Amino acid sequence: MSNQPRHIAIIMDGNGRWAEAQGKNRTYGHEKGAEIVRSITTYCGEHSEIDRLTLYAFSTENWKRPKLEVEFLMKLLEKYLKSERSTYLDNNIRFEPIGDLSIFSKSLRNVIDDVQKATEGCNALTQCLALNYGGRDEIVRAVNASRENGAITVESLTNALDCTHDVDLLIRTGGDHRLSNFMMWQAAYAELFFTKTLWPEFSADELESIIKKFKTVERRFGGLN
Ligand code: IPE
Ligand code: IPE
Ligand code: MG
């Protein structure tokens, strides 16, 4: 039987370079990137073998960027969630955030909360946005939350994480070969795919061809096949 890409995780990289290559501001790339989020999410929602799509939208390290870019990203996120509320519902897609949301503005947290609650019963796909997310921060928060419960096990720590689901297929666009603090625990046995395509140019067709390759890989999980 071929592998099923039940949980796909994507590092959506390359928005800034894509915009700059056209002589535009980096923010233009983020706007275009948000449109690609919509189309890739819709594609995954239409394919029943995919249960979960986790997208890296803002890392715990992205606060180092210029204030104006960070402010733009926060506004874009709020605008995106407000305008996509009906798209989630129409496509039966559940929205879930991961990451430390406590740092966000009240109005952004309210929108996140509202879309999460509104889509709770949707079950075609869970789209999980990683917001102020860092794998190390997630693990540290999980360890702190578990400290009083005796010795930590792999299972107990997994259950204390923001994301309790192993990643099957992890994709990074934008040409770099690194995890940048994404899904450090969950990607332990993920298949890693890197593409030079910048995120604003990524497409459902390219995702489909990656999934096709993924299905042919022999996943051994340390055993022998
Ligand atoms: C990814 O694209 C989006 C975020 C990190 C928010 P970048 O903004 O990192 O684009 P490049 O990598 O600089 O081209
Ligand atoms: C990773 O991209 C974070 C997101 C896609 C949200 P970065 O552009 O922040 O990663 P580095 O800095 O190149 O490692
Ligand atoms: Mg980048």
Side-chain angles (χ1 to χ4, degrees), residues 26-46:
R26 292 176 55 84
T27 53
Y28 179 66
H30 296 314
E31 265 177 343
K32 177 69 183 169
E35 285 173 31
I36 308 301
V37 169
R38 180 187 305 122
S39 66
I40 294 299
T41 302
T42 307
Y43 172 89
C44 291
E46 287 164 353

Side-chain angles (χ1 to χ4, degrees), residues 76-88 107 111 114-115:
L76 179 64
L77 183 58
E78 195 167 329
K79 198 171 94 180
Y80 179 84
L81 286 172
K82 273 184 189 157
S83 73
E84 292 309 298
R85 192 183 193 275
S86 56
T87 317
Y88 285 109
S107 75
V111 178
D114 169 57
V115 179

Side-chain angles (χ1 to χ4, degrees), residues 10-13 15 30 34 37 54-60 62 65 69 73-74 76-77 80 95 98 104 127-133 182 199:
I10 309 183
I11 302 171
M12 311 183 286
D13 197 25
N15 291 350
H30 296 314
V37 169
T54 300
L55 300 171
Y56 205 6
F58 194 87
S59 77
T60 44
N62 286 147
R65 295 188 178 199
E69 181 168 344
L73 285 166
M74 294 303 130
L76 179 64
L77 183 58
Y80 179 84
F95 162 75
I98 54 169
F104 293 131
Q127 184 224 52
C128 175
L129 288 188
L131 307 169
N132 188 30
Y133 173 88
F182 187 50
W199 178 250

Side-chain angles (χ1 to χ4, degrees), residues 16-225:
R17 278 167 285 162
W18 178 82
E20 278 165 355
Q22 299 169 67
K24 301 238 167 72
N25 199 295
R26 292 176 55 84
T27 53
Y28 179 66
H30 296 314
E31 265 177 343
K32 177 69 183 169
E35 285 173 31
I36 308 301
V37 169
R38 180 187 305 122
S39 66
I40 294 299
T41 302
T42 307
Y43 172 89
C44 291
E46 287 164 353
H47 289 76
S48 59
E49 82 263 33
I50 307 167
D51 299 330
R52 180 169 289 269
L53 172 68
T54 300
L55 300 171
Y56 205 6
F58 194 87
S59 77
T60 44
E61 286 73 40
N62 286 147
W63 299 103
K64 292 177 193 162
R65 295 188 178 199
K67 194 166 171 258
L68 278 179
E69 181 168 344
V70 171
E71 276 172 12
F72 182 88
L73 285 166
M74 294 303 130
K75 277 196 204 115
L76 179 64
L77 183 58
E78 195 167 329
K79 198 171 94 180
Y80 179 84
L81 286 172
K82 273 184 189 157
S83 73
E84 292 309 298
R85 192 183 193 275
S86 56
T87 317
Y88 285 109
L89 291 168
D90 292 348
N91 293 290
N92 194 20
I93 291 167
R94 180 174 183 165
F95 162 75
E96 260 179 33
I98 54 169
D100 181 0
L101 307 181
S102 64
I103 198 165
F104 293 131
S105 70
K106 186 103 179 41
S107 75
L108 179 52
R109 274 184 287 139
N110 282 344
V111 178
I112 290 171
D113 210 42
D114 169 57
V115 179
Q116 186 175 9
K117 288 209 175 93
T119 60
E120 231 162 34
C122 297
N123 60 12
L125 174 81
T126 298
Q127 184 224 52
C128 175
L129 288 188
L131 307 169
N132 188 30
Y133 173 88
R136 288 178 172 176
D137 178 65
E138 178 190 35
I139 292 166
V140 167
R141 284 187 286 104
V143 170
N144 282 329
S146 313
R147 252 188 336 190
E148 320 254 287
N149 306 334
I152 289 168
T153 62
V154 168
E155 199 190 1
S156 74
L157 186 56
T158 300
N159 287 330
L161 293 170
D162 298 350
C163 172
T164 58
H165 308 270
D166 278 351
V167 172
D168 296 305
L169 168 58
L170 191 148
I171 300 167
R172 181 176 187 134
T173 65
D176 287 313
H177 299 79
R178 54 177 173 259
L179 289 179
S180 302
N181 206 5
F182 187 50
M183 301 273 104
M184 306 279 283
W185 180 276
Q186 299 86 346
Y189 270 100
E191 300 300 327
L192 310 180
F193 282 73
F194 300 95
T195 170
K196 284 188 178 140
T197 306
L198 303 170
W199 178 250
E201 285 180 342
F202 195 66
S203 63
D205 280 353
E206 186 167 359
L207 176 58
E208 197 161 81
S209 79
I210 292 172
I211 291 173
K212 216 168 141 193
K213 278 189 222 134
F214 164 83
K215 285 184 172 176
T216 67
V217 172
E218 188 186 21
R219 300 183 79 192
R220 289 184 292 275
F221 300 97
L224 302 173
N225 275 358

